[in-house]
Amino acid sequence: MAITVVGSVAFDTVETPAGRKERCLAGAATYFSLAASFFTDVRIIAVVGEDFGPAEQAVFDAHRIDTAGIQHAEGKTFFWQGSYLENLNEAKTLRTDLNVFAGFEPKIPDAYRDSDFLFLANIDPVLQRRVREATPNAKLVAGDTMNYWIKDHKPALLEVLKGLDILLINDTEARMLAGNSNLVQAARAVMEMGPRMLVVKHGEYGATLFHKAIPDAQESRTFKTPAFPLEQVTDPTGAGDSFAGGFFGYLASQRDLTPGVFRRAMFYGSVMGSFTVERFGTERLQQLTREEIDHRFQLFRELTHLD
Amino acid sequence: MAITVVGSVAFDTVETPAGRKERCLAGAATYFSLAASFFTDVRIIAVVGEDFGPAEQAVFDAHRIDTAGIQHAEGKTFFWQGSYLENLNEAKTLRTDLNVFAGFEPKIPDAYRDSDFLFLANIDPVLQRRVREATPNAKLVAGDTMNYWIKDHKPALLEVLKGLDILLINDTEARMLAGNSNLVQAARAVMEMGPRMLVVKHGEYGATLFHKAIPDAQESRTFKTPAFPLEQVTDPTGAGDSFAGGFFGYLASQRDLTPGVFRRAMFYGSVMGSFTVERFGTERLQQLTREEIDHRFQLFRELTHLD
């Protein structure tokens, strides 16, 4: 089934211990779309500026991503510059130019309205909520957010959470949102805010899926996927968005959302994140094949399974 | 087969967000011995003072741990006081009284000499090496160390590493020892120092087993176990030593050390660590049953396996 995703398309300039790259095609919705496109049809809602040209469009086209919902505005595309020189696990933001993103008003093309899956990538919760309310027929809704919105826009974010089936955030964000340093307790508190499932991303340590208690089934309330042990991380940007794309894309590709499907979705999420960080920006996702994805999925199995 | 372990027996006074406990029976060799005792025969080499009485002896006796190698010296047993109030993941040392441990000269009882498995818990590498050299017939030798020895006693530590089959350390220690922040590269560098296997412990994120490359078998060079998602961590002290006890104890209980046995040993290590932190000191290990261990092992399987 098709996924509609709303979020940012951006150009990133990034420096990491592996080098420096100018103006990579990036942004949460770009990473998400590319990762999810290996599993299902993806429709994107975003805004770009005049510097978004045929080369960028071709990347989406090559992955059969529907870009009818990308608005072209006067001015420049959202630009972010960051450095991982001090800490490969946390970007230091050097510059943020919102550009056309400052006036972003998501518009949902009619052709998107039958999307059964909706993903609200990390943007202003006011916009997330607007898109959520405009797609009442979505059968499964997931979303992301970040520390900035948790800290300074919590009331708006709490409204968004009420409309989510699944929230995907990282450790620090989960603890901050719940105000609780124990992750199991924090997860339960977050799920009381709305989502019936929570995916907590641990960076190089993988991710954990929590879901609400089912009576007499305590054993299956969590599931863990590792991250792939990589000899070189070129650029960590977009790992979380790619995880979300692999996770949600795989779910959307399946007929029935059984517990086993959610487990495999966690693995596919981690697989997609592991590819993204191998090169700058979305380079690796642009060149990836489904065969590579399935091969790495098997490596994840060997990495974690007893037999 | 029997394990000989050399290391510290101590009394710990610990304060954590869950409370405060005075003079818990603790020390690396105590945690290790208790954890390993659920799987195989354990023989301990350590030193205690006059404050180690019948109550403490009874704990070892109840787990059929051979204490012929525990020397009783004049003075007090090694005492450590620490706080986890600021950070549950890292102890702040408030007091260390080496006491009788300051003059510790490990002596290996003749009855221990047929131990096929040797574990060198975290003590001065000079002593670790001496014990290693005095047990040339050990078939599998593993050990632990800490940042202090890596930083200030590296030449002595490097000599120990040459005699180890398996080193068990945490993330920070692995990176420090290798001088490399990428864990996969750091693991390879550490294995070039001697050990053919390395277990890196990630605290609440579990642990990774690395082993040297086998040609055409890249897929199986690492194995990951998660940590158990716990709603309350009462006292993190001893989690790593208990992991080592479960890991090495299970290995010693098996006839053939196949790759599958090492995988299950990782799970048992993580299981034992997860029990230890549920109560203060060695309280939980003292009351544990093999049935509880095997039940939690199954939960680990459900937590990680796709099917």
Side-chain angles (χ1 to χ4, degrees):
Chain A
M1 290 191 272
I3 298 175
T4 291
V5 53
V6 59
S8 59
V9 170
F11 289 109
D12 285 359
T13 290
V14 182
E15 54 188 22
T16 81
R20 179 189 168 92
K21 191 90 181 183
E22 306 273 343
R23 294 181 62 76
C24 313
L25 177 61
T30 310
Y31 284 108
F32 179 94
S33 299
L34 289 171
S37 74
F38 290 92
F39 303 94
T40 195
D41 293 333
V42 182
R43 300 152 170 183
I44 183 170
I45 299 171
V47 61
V48 297
E50 292 152 304
D51 50 356
F52 182 95
E56 288 76 26
Q57 181 63 42
V59 172
F60 290 89
D61 293 344
H63 290 79
R64 306 172 326 285
I65 295 164
D66 190 334
T67 56
I70 293 188
Q71 303 162 41
H72 291 259
E74 277 183 31
K76 286 186 169 180
T77 301
F78 180 29
F79 174 79
W80 177 79
Q81 185 173 351
S83 170
Y84 295 90
L85 291 180
E86 283 172 28
N87 183 352
L88 202 53
N89 293 311
E90 196 180 335
K92 184 177 170 183
T93 293
L94 301 177
R95 184 170 164 178
T96 304
D97 299 338
L98 288 177
N99 297 331
V100 297
F101 204 68
F104 181 38
E105 282 290 342
K107 294 191 190 81
I108 305 170
D110 284 338
Y112 286 19
R113 297 209 178 260
D114 65 345
S115 291
D116 284 314
F117 284 67
L118 174 65
F119 189 78
L120 308 171
N122 168 39
I123 50 171
D124 186 335
V126 170
L127 300 184
Q128 290 181 313
R129 188 182 175 190
R130 210 169 289 165
V131 174
R132 175 67 187 95
E133 288 176 349
T135 54
N137 298 324
K139 288 179 185 142
L140 198 73
V141 184
D144 192 2
T145 190
M146 68 183 289
N147 50 6
Y148 172 71
W149 307 115
I150 296 170
K151 194 160 160 284
D152 296 334
H153 296 74
K154 197 161 178 183
L157 179 60
L158 290 177
E159 288 303 312
V160 173
L161 295 183
K162 291 179 190 167
L164 287 189
D165 296 297
I166 311 172
L167 177 68
L168 295 95
I169 48 181
N170 70 31
D171 283 66
T172 313
E173 292 157 356
R175 292 182 161 114
M176 186 188 289
L177 183 55
N180 190 321
S181 65
N182 178 284
L183 201 58
V184 181
Q185 293 179 26
R188 194 188 307 123
V190 169
M191 289 187 289
E192 281 166 9
M193 298 172 191
R196 58 191 168 89
M197 291 192 181
L198 173 68
V199 176
V200 181
K201 297 169 284 181
H202 313 307
E204 68 171 312
Y205 301 114
T208 305
L209 172 70
F210 294 92
H211 56 87
K212 281 191 177 166
I214 302 162
D216 302 324
Q218 189 183 10
E219 290 77 359
S220 56
R221 261 190 282 174
T222 52
F223 183 72
K224 290 187 175 267
T225 175
F228 197 65
L230 289 168
E231 292 214 23
Q232 176 153 17
V233 172
T234 298
D235 173 11
T237 315
D241 303 314
S242 305
F243 183 104
F247 173 80
F248 212 52
Y250 178 74
L251 289 180
S253 75
Q254 297 299 298
R255 190 182 184 84
D256 297 309
L257 297 182
T258 62
V261 164
F262 276 98
R263 289 167 179 243
R264 285 191 286 283
M266 288 289 287
F267 267 42
Y268 276 115
S270 204
V271 163
M272 299 311 289
S274 77
F275 280 119
T276 289
V277 304
E278 288 183 352
R279 308 247 180 96
F280 282 100
T282 51
E283 280 176 12
R284 187 69 179 92
L285 291 183
Q286 292 181 36
Q287 293 153 2
L288 198 59
T289 67
R290 181 64 196 246
E291 289 64 37
E292 289 177 302
I293 293 169
D294 287 328
H295 177 65
R296 188 162 292 184
F297 184 95
Q298 285 307 318
L299 298 186
F300 266 73
R301 184 189 282 268
E302 291 172 24
L303 198 62
T304 52
H305 282 46
L306 292 171
D307 306 304
Chain B
M1 289 190 274
I3 298 175
T4 290
V5 53
V6 59
S8 58
V9 170
F11 289 109
D12 285 359
T13 291
V14 182
E15 52 188 23
T16 82
R20 178 189 169 92
K21 192 88 180 183
E22 306 273 341
R23 295 181 61 79
C24 313
L25 177 61
T30 310
Y31 285 107
F32 179 95
S33 298
L34 288 172
S37 74
F38 290 93
F39 303 94
T40 194
D41 293 332
V42 182
R43 299 152 171 183
I44 185 170
I45 300 171
V47 62
V48 296
E50 292 151 304
D51 50 358
F52 182 96
E56 288 74 28
Q57 180 64 42
V59 172
F60 291 90
D61 292 344
H63 290 80
R64 307 171 324 282
I65 296 164
D66 190 334
T67 56
I70 293 189
Q71 302 163 41
H72 292 257
E74 277 182 33
K76 287 185 168 180
T77 300
F78 180 30
F79 174 80
W80 178 80
Q81 185 174 350
S83 171
Y84 296 91
L85 291 181
E86 284 172 28
N87 183 351
L88 202 53
N89 292 312
E90 196 180 335
K92 183 176 171 187
T93 293
L94 301 176
R95 183 168 165 181
T96 304
D97 298 337
L98 288 178
N99 297 331
V100 297
F101 204 69
F104 181 37
E105 282 289 343
K107 293 191 191 82
I108 305 170
D110 283 339
Y112 287 18
R113 295 208 179 263
D114 65 345
S115 291
D116 284 314
F117 285 67
L118 175 65
F119 189 77
L120 308 170
N122 168 39
I123 50 171
D124 186 336
V126 170
L127 299 184
Q128 289 180 315
R129 187 182 178 192
R130 209 170 290 163
V131 173
R132 175 68 186 97
E133 287 176 348
T135 53
N137 296 326
K139 288 180 184 144
L140 198 72
V141 184
D144 191 1
T145 190
M146 67 183 289
N147 49 7
Y148 172 73
W149 307 115
I150 295 170
K151 193 160 162 282
D152 296 334
H153 294 75
K154 197 162 177 181
L157 179 61
L158 291 176
E159 288 303 313
V160 174
L161 295 183
K162 290 180 191 166
L164 286 189
D165 296 297
I166 311 172
L167 177 67
L168 295 94
I169 49 180
N170 70 31
D171 283 67
T172 312
E173 291 157 357
R175 292 181 162 114
M176 185 190 289
L177 183 55
N180 190 320
S181 65
N182 178 284
L183 201 58
V184 181
Q185 292 179 27
R188 193 186 308 120
V190 169
M191 289 188 288
E192 281 166 10
M193 298 172 191
R196 60 191 167 88
M197 292 192 180
L198 173 68
V199 175
V200 181
K201 296 169 284 181
H202 313 307
E204 68 171 313
Y205 300 114
T208 306
L209 172 70
F210 295 92
H211 55 88
K212 281 191 176 166
I214 303 162
D216 302 325
Q218 190 183 8
E219 289 79 359
S220 57
R221 259 190 283 174
T222 52
F223 182 72
K224 288 187 177 267
T225 175
F228 196 65
L230 288 169
E231 292 213 21
Q232 175 153 19
V233 173
T234 298
D235 173 12
T237 314
D241 302 313
S242 304
F243 183 104
F247 174 80
F248 211 51
Y250 178 74
L251 290 180
S253 76
Q254 297 299 300
R255 191 183 184 84
D256 297 312
L257 296 182
T258 62
V261 164
F262 276 98
R263 289 168 179 241
R264 284 190 287 281
M266 287 290 285
F267 267 42
Y268 276 114
S270 204
V271 163
M272 299 311 289
S274 77
F275 279 119
T276 289
V277 304
E278 289 183 350
R279 308 247 181 99
F280 282 100
T282 50
E283 279 175 12
R284 188 68 179 94
L285 290 183
Q286 291 182 36
Q287 293 152 3
L288 197 60
T289 67
R290 181 63 196 249
E291 289 65 37
E292 289 176 303
I293 293 169
D294 288 327
H295 177 65
R296 188 161 291 182
F297 184 95
Q298 285 307 318
L299 298 186
F300 267 73
R301 183 188 282 267
E302 291 172 24
L303 199 61
T304 52
H305 283 46
L306 292 171
D307 308 303

